[in-house]
Amino acid sequence: MAARLLLRSAAVKAAVTDVHGSNAGVSFLRLSPSCSLRLKTQKRHAAHFTFYPDPVPTQYGPTTKMNLFQSITSALDNTMASDPTAVIFGEDVAFGGVFRCTVGLRDKYGKDRVFNTPLCEQGIVGFGIGVAVAGAKAIAEIQFADYIFPAFDQIVNEAAKYRYRSGNHYDCGNLTIRAPSGCVGHGSLYHSQSPEAFFAHCAGLRVVVPRGPIQAKGLLLSCIADENPCIFFEPKILYRAAVDQVPTDTYLLPLSQAEVVQEGSDLTMVAWGTQVHVLREVADMAQDKLGVSCEVIDLQTILPWDKETICKSVVKTGRLLISHEAPVTSGFAAEITTTVQEECFLNLEAPISRVCGYDTPFPHTLEPFYIPDKWKCFDAVKRMINY
Amino acid sequence: MAAVRNMQRLWGIGVSAIRQQAALKTSRVLQQRAFRLNGAQCQQSFDSSLEKPQFPGASAEFIDHLEFIQPNVISGIPVYRVMDRRGQIINPSEDPQLSKDTVLNFYQKMTLLNTMDRILYESQRQGRISFYMTNYGEEGTHIGSAAALDSTDLVFGQYREAGVLMYRGFPLDLFMAQCYGNADDLGKGRLMPVHYGSRDHYFVTISSPLATQLPQAAGAAYAIKRENSNRVVICYFGEGAASEGDAHAGFNFSATLECPIIFFCRNNGYAISTPTHEQYRGDGIAARGPGYGMLSIRVDGNDVFAVYNATKEARRRAVAENQPFLIEAMTYRIGHHSTSDDSSAYRSVDEVNYWDKQDHPISRLRHYMTARSWWGEDEERTWRKQSRKLVMEALEKAERRLKPKPELMFTDVYKDVTPDLEKQKDSMVRHLQQYKEHYPLDQHEQ
């Protein structure tokens, strides 16, 4: 119950955050009753990242300026238009969703295709599996990635193993689960988590995280088209903060393929989601302050992940830094580290560095100290270069 | 493109609404005063004795005295019966009037399942298969319900519903192939025995985690409703599984999303060793149905006609009205929970004997048939011999068959084998070449 109350307030706060990340703190101040007009000293910490927009894509037809939540809506819109079996469901998706990702879809496609479910995550995923087993496209929403755990059994024991255990006679490859994830500045324990590593240990799933509106739409459309059950984590802090020119038509970005977003020669940096933008800023800092050339890679798909692109880069640079918001112990960086150590042993010139969340729950007012921000990453780069 | 623009416009409206709200907050005190005033005025215009509750969460009257609702567990929902323990039809208007051939088919499918159970149970005791679960005492629930369905109605089961597959003509060879995990198994030898599944028979592959199939069945029923194909989904589960959170999810989703589904609960008194009084304190499972807004009935699970009638009517109405139905079939688990369980450790042999000898679905149907001279000792003897032969032949064939090639471990994890899994497969193959004497390669296809 408490979780639901908080959820509402967090959603509203996110809803009032301005489209431009830099103003987020200001608009929050204007509207929050608890600190209305009073104290400058309580002004919230500035955003921990700067969004690096992508160049305007030219190969997929006309584009429109969209933030991340609008690009999700656009992907869902394209899917609903092209596949009459597709249905979207979850908690509060009918009126547009607490993050506005499904705005307008119910009016456009009907209430039998975009509908609210009872408040029950294991039900949502189980229901979605059933829809997919019957051959229709199921797009389920879990309101926050933090609340995906009640559905862990349905995801891990059922969705992931459906095709395998039936000898390919039944499958739920038509299922896509979307969930907002990652830190949001004030989300505390249950509106901030990045649970991708829990699912990375589960063969049969795809786990995908986009870094911006262009990737969000292309990767989500690929997840929906993919014939395996997919979990799509949307970094909620980017919903409004990230704006790109996004193609309005359907386009697919390849799954299980990392993207080199900035080439470099001295050090490889790997991240996904919001953290890619943190590392891009770190790369600029490293260039300016240390004269170090960093290669920044967006992993994009956590499972099955693109070993080849990462290893190729590390063979070239000889150094690897991995950064994620989730806690360090058994976080996905551990998997990358081990693999790169196995594949690139002779090329490594420094120990692989992991800059991650601490092994604590995600705290509320202590968030600025918790997250693996640019200064923590920059310090790690410095130490690696001097190793 | 137009859609996107529309959405942006909608979003614009959303923002201005929020801003307005914020502006209103600054004059909150004023507002609150106004609200209180309004409230007082409203109160005056009502006679409180005529007042009706306006709460959005329920439609009900006020009452002026304190009274808790009592659960009715002493005299619970009655058990619907068509024939008595001697096979006599109790109320002729409820007699489904099935043809002789249909009834003989019921009987033969129930007894064939029983014969298969006995032989496979023994086969496990001899270590020839690793695990088995019998259906003793519950044959009537399977055959009666399966017969009331269309052959393309999708079935989600728990694990003690082999009779449904048997009724649909799943070959004995494939039952055996699954239990032996041999190369003929549709599931490629990956699941434990009795985890059957067949796309051709619209029977979704069984998995061990209990109750996970309930919300899945609801989802499938929703998709089928949208197809407009006049099909229904049936979902079987035990009374123990009904305690899982997924059961709650499945019931509630089916009702709120108006799914054409039949929930079929086999209440056989035990979940392994746990008796029902440690499983729940309400009036069984059927009593929960109305709480979800679901039409519900309790039937005698040892009466194949009662099961048939209830399922038939539930099917008809579920398809016509797009709403869920709950059938609780009361029965008794005569066999052990599984081959890994000795049920004498928690219940008396006398109790088991009562159900086996006095009230068994097979013997009850046989009484019915004998009374009509449709079946006699000779037919019984011949059929017993014949069914045993059929099962033994299938068993021997399954036993002789090699198991699947080890490489099949790596397919179907994903739709396509990933490069990583390809590598892991190659590494296993290399390993097996070097250490082959340490592995049972001779038992597997190459």
Side-chain angles (χ1 to χ4, degrees), chain B residues 255-277:
Chain B
T256 59
L257 297 168
E258 297 166 353
C259 303
I261 184 170
I262 301 168
F263 287 110
F264 193 106
C265 178
R266 297 174 292 96
N267 189 337
N268 62 19
Y270 290 91
I272 307 186
S273 74
T274 306
T276 51
H277 69 267

Side-chain angles (χ1 to χ4, degrees), chain B residues 2 198 242 319 425:
Chain B
S198 168
V319 172
K425 187 182 81 183

Side-chain angles (χ1 to χ4, degrees), chain B residues 116-150:
Chain B
M116 182 178 86
D117 273 350
R118 284 173 204 284
I119 288 168
L120 281 175
Y121 183 83
E122 285 310 315
S123 148
Q124 193 283 333
R125 293 288 129 180
Q126 295 161 11
R128 293 156 83 175
I129 59 173
S130 63
F131 178 79
Y132 194 68
M133 299 176 106
T134 63
N135 302 280
Y136 301 150
E138 301 183 46
E139 296 90 343
T141 60
H142 306 178
I143 303 300
S145 57
L149 298 170
D150 278 12

